[in-house]
Amino acid sequence: MPKLYYHDFSRLGFHNRQLPGIFTGIFAPNQEAKMPVICAYIMLAIAKLRCEGEREISFAELFCADAFYSIFARKWGADTAVGIDNDRDGYLRLASVARKRAGVPDVQLVRGDVMELPTNIKYSIVANVGGLYHVEDPVRVLRHSWELSSGFLIVQSAVSMANDDPAYFETPAPGWDWGSRFNRRSFQRMVEREGYNVIDSAFNELTGNERLEDRGSVYYLIRKAP
Ligand SMILES: C[S@@+](CC[C@H](N)C(=O)[O-])C[C@H]1O[C@@H](n2cnc3c(N)ncnc32)[C@H](O)[C@@H]1O
C-alpha cells in the first residue's frame, strides 16, 4: 500500500509527500499538465449548472485514486462529491485521509469497479480522468460514464504520441500486459463516432512520462443536457 500520495494537495489546503519525489518524479509534472485543464473544466461545468439554476450539484470522479479531483470539486462548489476506485493501486486509504485534511470529510469514497456504478443514479458532473487507458474496453467504459451523467462529462486519457494512425487502437497497451492505448487522432475519431456534444477539448504532454507511447494527454468537456 503506498504511503505517498498520487497528487500534491498544497493547492487544496494541506502539504503532503507525493510519489516518488516532488521535483524529480513523474507524478508532479504530470499533475501540472493535467490539473489546470481538468480543474478549469470542473469549474466551468459548476458555473454553467449554477447559472441554469441547478441547486444540488453532484460530482462523481471515476478512477479517483487519492480523490484529488473529488476533493477539488467539493471545495469549489459541488454540493456532493464521490470518488470511485477499485483500489488496485492502494490509494483509497490516502483519499480518506486527504478529504479530512482538506476540510471536506463528506467526500464519499467507493471501492469498486467503475462499471459497477448503477446508471439509474445520475451525477450532475462525471469526471472520467486518468482511467480509460487502464481498461481493455475504453469505449464501453466511456459509454457507461456518459450514462452516469445528467449534465457534464469530463474525460482525460493518456494517448500515444508514437504514431498518428487515425485507426490506431491497441490492447493491451504497448509494453504492458493490461490497459489500452489510442493516439490523439484515433481518440478524437472515437469521440466523434460517439456523437458527443463537445464544449471544449485540449491536448498537452505528460512531461513526466518518457515514452512517447504514454506521453500525450487528451481532454474533453462534454455537455449532456439541456
Ligand atoms: C492513473 S490513476 C488516476 C488518478 C486520478 N483520477 C488522476 O487522473 O489524476 C488510475 C486509478 O484507476 C484505478 N482503476 C484502474 N482500473 C479501474 C477500474 N476498472 N475501476 C475502478 N478503478 C480503477 C487504479 O486503482 C488507480 O487508482
Side-chain angles (χ1 to χ4, degrees):
M1 183 179 295
K3 291 194 172 64
L4 301 177
Y5 288 77
Y6 199 93
H7 292 95
D8 172 10
F9 279 79
S10 53
R11 289 190 186 86
L12 295 186
F14 70 93
H15 292 281
N16 63 295
R17 291 180 62 212
Q18 186 180 24
L19 272 164
I22 283 176
F23 298 109
T24 56
I26 62 166
F27 289 84
N30 288 353
Q31 179 177 348
E32 288 308 308
K34 289 168 65 172
M35 183 176 62
V37 186
I38 296 170
C39 290
Y41 283 178
I42 293 171
M43 292 303 294
L44 184 59
I46 291 173
K48 291 273 189 198
L49 290 168
R50 285 274 181 245
C51 289
E52 290 161 15
E54 188 148 330
R55 292 234 175 113
E56 280 281 318
I57 296 180
S58 53
F59 177 88
E61 180 188 5
L62 316 182
F63 307 98
C64 73
D66 57 17
F68 181 86
Y69 294 108
S70 311
I71 292 168
F72 173 86
R74 179 72 186 101
K75 278 182 89 79
W76 288 92
D79 297 290
T80 61
V82 57
I84 178 163
D85 197 293
N86 64 11
D87 215 18
R88 190 192 65 183
D89 301 334
Y91 290 111
L92 272 186
R93 186 185 59 82
L94 294 169
S96 180
V97 177
R99 63 185 171 176
K100 291 178 204 135
R101 293 184 74 188
V104 284
D106 61 356
V107 168
Q108 200 192 334
L109 299 171
V110 176
R111 180 180 283 106
D113 192 285
V114 297
M115 293 302 288
E116 289 166 7
L117 283 176
T119 53
N120 61 329
I121 299 174
K122 308 283 185 198
Y123 302 90
S124 318
I125 305 164
V126 172
N128 178 335
V129 295
L132 286 179
Y133 65 95
H134 279 250
V135 299
E136 285 174 14
D137 190 348
V139 175
R140 182 165 160 261
V141 175
L142 188 58
R143 286 178 184 161
H144 191 72
S145 315
W146 163 260
E147 288 299 328
L148 291 168
S149 167
S150 61
F152 284 92
L153 173 61
I154 296 166
V155 178
Q156 182 275 336
S157 184
V159 292
S160 175
M161 295 175 64
N163 75 79
D164 197 28
D165 176 355
Y168 173 71
F169 177 74
E170 219 180 314
T171 182
W176 301 2
D177 58 8
W178 54 282
S180 61
R181 203 57 41 92
F182 286 99
N183 62 30
R184 182 184 181 179
R185 271 181 88 186
S186 62
F187 196 100
Q188 169 70 22
R189 207 170 78 148
M190 180 274 286
V191 168
E192 283 168 9
R193 253 198 318 254
E194 293 301 306
Y196 296 138
N197 178 17
V198 175
I199 302 296
D200 193 71
S201 64
F203 173 84
N204 62 15
E205 291 189 31
L206 301 171
T207 55
N209 294 354
E210 275 185 18
R211 294 193 326 157
L212 282 176
E213 287 82 354
D214 311 320
R215 200 171 162 95
S217 182
V218 290
Y219 309 81
Y220 291 85
L221 177 62
I222 293 166
R223 186 72 219 242
K224 183 152 185 194

